[in-house]
Amino acid sequence: MMSAARLLARRLPSAANRANAAGQLRSMGHAQSFHINTPDNTPETYFDFTEENYQYVNKVLSKYPANYKQSAIIPLLDLAQRQHGGWLPVAAMDKVASIVEAAPSRVYEVASFYTMFNRTKVGKYFIQLCGTTPCMICGSEDIKKTIEKHLGIKNGETTKDGMFTLLEVECLGACANAPMVQLNDDYYECLTPKTMVELLEACKEGKPPAMGKWGSLPMNGQVSCEGPLGKTSLWEVPEPPKVNVERFKDGAVDPASVKAHMSY
Amino acid sequence: MKFNYDLEFKNNSNNNFWKQNTPLIEYCETLGINVPHYCYHKNLSISGNCRMCLVELKNSPKPIVSCAMNAKSCLANGDIHTNSSLVKKARENVLEFLLLNHPLDCPICDQGGECDLQDQSLFFGLAKKRFYSFKRVVLDKNIGPIVKTVMTRCIHCTRCVRFAAEIAGIEDIGMFGRGLHSEIGTYVEKVFQSELSGNVIDLCPVGALTSKPYPFVNRNWELKNITSIDFSDGFGTPIQLFLKNNQVIKILPGYEKATYKTNWISDKTRFSFDGMFSPERIIYSFLDNNQKESFLNLSWQKLFKELFCTLYFQSHLLKHYFHPCSITICLNKNISLEVLNLLHILTHKHSFFKLRQSESSNLNIDLEENFLLNSSLDEAKLAASDTCVLLGVNPRYEGPKLNLKLKSRCLKGNFKTITIGSLFNLTFSNITLSSNIQILKSLVEGNNLFCQEFINSSNPVLISNAEIFRRGDAYGISSMIKSLIKHINLYSQTNGRNHLNILSSTLNDVGFANFDNLRTIKNKDFRNSAGIYFINSSFSTSNVKKLLNLKLLNFFQSYKHKNKLLVTQGSSLEMSQLTNFKKSFDVTNHLHLPNTVFFENSGTYINTEGDINKVIKVITPLGQAKSDWQIIRKVFSYSKKIVFLTNFLKNSKIVFNSKNIHQFKSYVGFQYYAVSNLNNLTFQFVEKVTKFHLENLKFKPAQKKLFKSQLRFWLSDFYIDGKDINSKYSSTMIQCSKLSRLNNTNFKF
Ligand code: SF4
Ligand code: FES
Ligand code: FES
């Protein structure tokens, strides 16, 4: 594996270098498909869920039949990632594997398949910048340059202080409010270089702006995805969908409590 | 093999309707049409991800994957075309995609000439390239000393992943990452630690996984293919040998007699053959008579002269002491029936020779089913049973073939495996009751919790091995087992079959048991005989080692003979053991007769299932080596010439006790002509005692108690510890064993 490590040293930080070297190759937000030992990430590193997270673990497991515990791989990996500062060490995957009684490699497969699992260390604020066509047309290139200049990092890199990691990804489904970034779980939309810098500064102070009414924050003062002309349609309140009223109390969706309904 | 890829499908299948319950691809095969494929494999689950097997179904808007479609439903739905222009186009396009990232390194690829991708590109591929953007780079993984990986060649058929998960039961290989970045590997650096890992070499349709011990030695078309049998365990699985210039180059699984399917073989079968041709092998004779110079490389004639002069001298010398004197021949169980028979004739003819086996065996050999892996382990019968008890046997190492059967039965569900013995990962779920043999008592008495299991079970199977009957309390164990089986039969819904299965550890255990029960070599034999004749260096076995150590306790004060003679007939010598031995027994003359190894021999063996396997000599022996049979026959004819004083003639009758007269006939058939001019022999066939008779007999076993000791697996290191003599000299096996010891320690530093 020595040679592998050396090869990787040349190839990593994977996304950026590979993208440059290969010309057209887009990184697609992807890290390497195998594990490389780093001091904080070896199979022997200690990882265990916290006491209260174990309650969540049990809650998740209780959703599935006892012989299909593997169904809990994704929620548990997510839980582990949240507990471990936004990334998944290989020890955490092993832990999940032992909890769901699957072979470790089955868990590695899942974790390496989904790009929302970071298998290498990321900063406290993990910036996923959308670079797909709508965002690109609306100026995501500028946003990217702004971030790179402001933080002094390239795509796929982490700042020295471990605060930010930048990664260019594909469409995050907020095209109406392009360009946008996803900061950990939160969407910041309708960005301009100026607001992007403001956002970064706010993060540096540890106070990223709170999400708006609809669960995301368009940074240009919009409430939702109404566009630069303001609201032009959907004037009357549509019939609410038939949902379990119990679950949403008085029929109104409260984004804050939606998260609470998701069991983590 | 010739493939019929360009045949059009013709449905002429009124009579083989039952075959239609298979994947379409398999059905086509029965009609003689080959559909190109990568991911589909008969013995693995269907994944349908390579898309190479596309065929056209008339009513379907798109071509269909024939590996994942049921033949019956396809036939009911319209015409099938396996060679239409759509199909050809589809194959061409699939291949183009597969080749986008595949390196064009066939000239330096070990798979070249036997590569599915190469063949099929030739058949269906596009001659030009349309994609120049980039090539994927994949790092090669180190997954152990057996399998070499060149991962850029991988086409992601996932056969190896499915094999690891479903057959080997070691889920270490997986496909990691996704899309463009997906890679086959182990994610963390890990060795594919399975005794079956070599099979992925065969499975991989391209050159991604090839053999590490033998890289770049051959091309497929240079090799001569000969069938033989596996020498490493009791099964004697058919294998195919590939030869080049009188050398074994590789070993692949052969076709099973019953099913005509290839099976999986273990790494030991596949790669331990280099032990037979290792540099440590002694292929020249020598005589060492404690004088200054020893005689190297004597001719066979001189050798025998020397041997018989010594014998003659001894015999006549001893006359004056009035000592009966003898030569003890000590055998290992891996010699063929012919040799065994010849030795028998020899000892019957000249009582000067005594025959002993090197290790004790207290197996009850009255009934054939007492020492066979009975037919209750064939697929249909195993399917009918739902409980299996493994008594002190570790099928994963001792008989990988048995383990595969049990595993596949276990995967079908409703099957419980209860093991008595050390904890071990059998690759399928099992319950370990205890490692103490005393548990048998409580099972028989019915006060164990698990007795309930037997009552609720149907057709339980009890598997044990011949090795546990070497314990001192063997009689106790066998009577316990007998009554256990009786109880099980009483309570579970069975039809009174014998449920005891004995897995034997060497190729010819059953042959030995069928033939006769030899006495074990004892301290007394050492003391009383003028010479000891070891065949196949059996003095490394535990019994002989123990006898050697008795010397330390001054056991051998009174030697009757000076001038001892030691003859070793084998392909290798353990020097330290040898010097130890020589010192303890005052050996003055040591004669080494080089004999041949398994593949240089012809012979007949009876495997643990009771089948006769005949092997033929496939390569000419190295150096001076001669086969055991040739040597013994020479000994025979020489001993006719001299008169031994201590020779009391016995009648020369060969008794072979078997239920199966066919075995006896074929056994005698090949024997008679070879030895008829040596001796007047009568071959006698003793019909097996029936169970009924036996059970009416009342006899008291010698010792009925059970020791309190733990049951331990006799085979702790799969790779080098087996009963076959050569694998411990195999460099590949030594590497494997080192690695597995390293990975199985509890302490990691
Ligand atoms: S390594 Fe070989 S067997 Fe495994 S997925 Fe790749 S091509 Fe298939
Ligand atoms: S393109 Fe950026 S969110 Fe869809
Ligand atoms: S063989 Fe049918 S999809 Fe691979």
Side-chain angles (χ1 to χ4, degrees), chain A residues 1 4 7-8 11 18 25 27 30 33-35 43 90 93 103 105-106 108-109 112-113 115 119, chain B residues 133-134 137 139 141 161 165 171-178 180-183 186-190:
Chain A
M1 210 59 191
L7 233 174
L8 269 159
R11 253 171 49 166
R18 248 193 291 174
L25 174 57
S27 74
H30 210 286
S33 307
F34 49 87
H35 168 77
V90 69
M93 300 186 223
S105 69
R106 299 284 95 87
Y108 304 150
E109 279 179 340
S112 62
F113 186 88
T115 49
R119 288 166 293 123
Chain B
S133 298
F134 59 86
V137 181
L139 289 182
K141 317 286 186 298
V161 179
E171 291 185 65
D172 278 349
I173 301 188
M175 174 135 83
F176 304 101
R178 72 165 165 195
L180 175 68
H181 300 286
S182 44
E183 287 178 14
T186 49
Y187 192 70
V188 290
E189 207 197 338
K190 209 183 235 177

Side-chain angles (χ1 to χ4, degrees), chain B residues 158-171:
Chain B
T158 68
R159 275 189 193 178
C160 54
V161 179
R162 279 173 286 148
F163 173 81
E166 293 160 13
I167 309 290
I170 306 291
E171 291 185 65

Side-chain angles (χ1 to χ4, degrees), chain B residues 477-527:
Chain B
I477 294 181
S478 56
S479 70
M480 278 294 166
I481 290 178
K482 212 186 269 167
S483 44
L484 180 64
I485 284 172
K486 211 190 254 164
H487 287 308
I488 291 176
N489 280 350
L490 220 58
Y491 289 112
S492 60
Q493 310 105 36
T494 51
N495 42 13
R497 279 187 287 124
N498 188 344
H499 302 280
L500 176 64
N501 298 278
I502 301 288
L503 177 64
S504 53
S505 50
T506 62
L507 201 51
N508 210 11
D509 264 13
V510 174
F512 263 70
N514 253 332
F515 196 85
D516 204 346
N517 207 3
L518 294 182
R519 259 188 271 164
T520 318
I521 192 154
K522 292 231 174 61
N523 175 6
K524 200 174 70 191
D525 299 314
F526 281 148
R527 218 177 319 153

Side-chain angles (χ1 to χ4, degrees), chain B residues 457-690:
Chain B
S457 67
S458 69
N459 299 323
V461 183
L462 181 74
I463 305 174
S464 186
N465 62 8
E467 295 297 309
I468 68 164
F469 293 100
R470 282 180 39 212
R471 288 164 56 108
D473 53 352
Y475 290 111
I477 294 181
S478 56
S479 70
M480 278 294 166
I481 290 178
K482 212 186 269 167
S483 44
L484 180 64
I485 284 172
K486 211 190 254 164
H487 287 308
I488 291 176
N489 280 350
L490 220 58
Y491 289 112
S492 60
Q493 310 105 36
T494 51
N495 42 13
R497 279 187 287 124
N498 188 344
H499 302 280
L500 176 64
N501 298 278
I502 301 288
L503 177 64
S504 53
S505 50
T506 62
L507 201 51
N508 210 11
D509 264 13
V510 174
F512 263 70
N514 253 332
F515 196 85
D516 204 346
N517 207 3
L518 294 182
R519 259 188 271 164
T520 318
I521 192 154
K522 292 231 174 61
N523 175 6
K524 200 174 70 191
D525 299 314
F526 281 148
R527 218 177 319 153
N528 291 346
S529 51
I532 301 184
Y533 189 153
F534 280 110
I535 298 186
N536 279 339
S537 71
S538 41
F539 62 122
S540 69
T541 52
S542 55
N543 184 33
V544 180
K545 264 190 206 157
K546 196 180 77 192
L547 290 179
L548 281 185
N549 291 340
L550 287 181
K551 169 73 182 166
L552 297 179
L553 307 174
N554 264 343
F555 239 83
F556 302 116
Q557 289 293 14
S558 54
Y559 275 136
K560 299 219 174 104
H561 313 294
K562 293 272 162 316
N563 291 328
K564 285 238 179 187
L565 172 70
L566 170 68
V567 186
T568 48
Q569 174 176 328
S571 52
S572 51
L573 281 175
E574 283 142 56
M575 275 318 186
S576 60
Q577 296 286 350
L578 187 71
T579 38
N580 194 355
F581 187 86
K582 278 185 187 169
K583 247 188 256 151
S584 334
F585 294 97
D586 299 334
V587 173
T588 43
N589 291 306
H590 173 209
L591 196 61
H592 181 77
L593 315 173
N595 73 355
T596 50
V597 289
F598 187 79
F599 291 133
E600 298 169 345
N601 260 338
S602 311
T604 307
Y605 305 89
I606 304 183
N607 76 356
T608 179
E609 289 170 306
D611 300 331
I612 283 199
N613 288 312
K614 282 192 186 186
V615 289
I616 47 160
K617 166 175 154 184
V618 288
I619 42 181
T620 43
L622 294 178
Q624 225 186 344
K626 288 245 187 277
S627 72
D628 286 335
W629 201 86
Q630 284 170 310
I631 298 175
I632 303 296
R633 197 183 175 287
K634 262 276 176 309
V635 172
F636 197 101
S637 54
Y638 266 91
S639 47
K640 269 188 10 178
K641 286 187 196 147
I642 50 175
V643 182
F644 293 108
L645 291 169
T646 49
N647 221 354
F648 319 104
L649 265 181
K650 293 181 198 162
N651 60 350
S652 37
K653 196 159 53 173
I654 297 299
V655 177
F656 190 82
N657 55 352
S658 167
K659 197 160 66 174
N660 192 345
I661 191 151
H662 301 294
Q663 279 189 4
F664 177 70
K665 272 186 185 150
S666 56
Y667 172 68
V668 169
F670 64 77
Q671 278 292 316
Y672 187 71
Y673 297 101
V675 291
S676 59
N677 62 338
L678 295 179
N679 205 347
N680 293 329
L681 284 171
T682 45
F683 286 94
Q684 196 185 11
F685 176 61
V686 179
E687 267 246 34
K688 272 298 192 181
V689 218
T690 63

Side-chain angles (χ1 to χ4, degrees), chain B residues 435-477:
Chain B
S435 67
N436 199 322
I437 195 91
Q438 294 279 336
I439 191 99
L440 272 183
K441 210 178 252 170
S442 72
L443 280 177
V444 169
E445 283 162 3
N447 49 22
N448 194 300
L449 213 58
F450 275 85
C451 297
Q452 199 62 33
E453 302 279 345
F454 297 130
I455 295 176
N456 297 334
S457 67
S458 69
N459 299 323
V461 183
L462 181 74
I463 305 174
S464 186
N465 62 8
E467 295 297 309
I468 68 164
F469 293 100
R470 282 180 39 212
R471 288 164 56 108
D473 53 352
Y475 290 111
I477 294 181

Side-chain angles (χ1 to χ4, degrees), chain B residues 25 36-40 47-54 65-68:
Chain B
I25 192 170
H37 58 272
Y38 297 116
C39 68
Y40 176 75
S47 71
N49 55 3
C50 73
R51 316 314 277 185
M52 192 58 203
C53 62
L54 292 172
V65 274
S66 58
C67 69

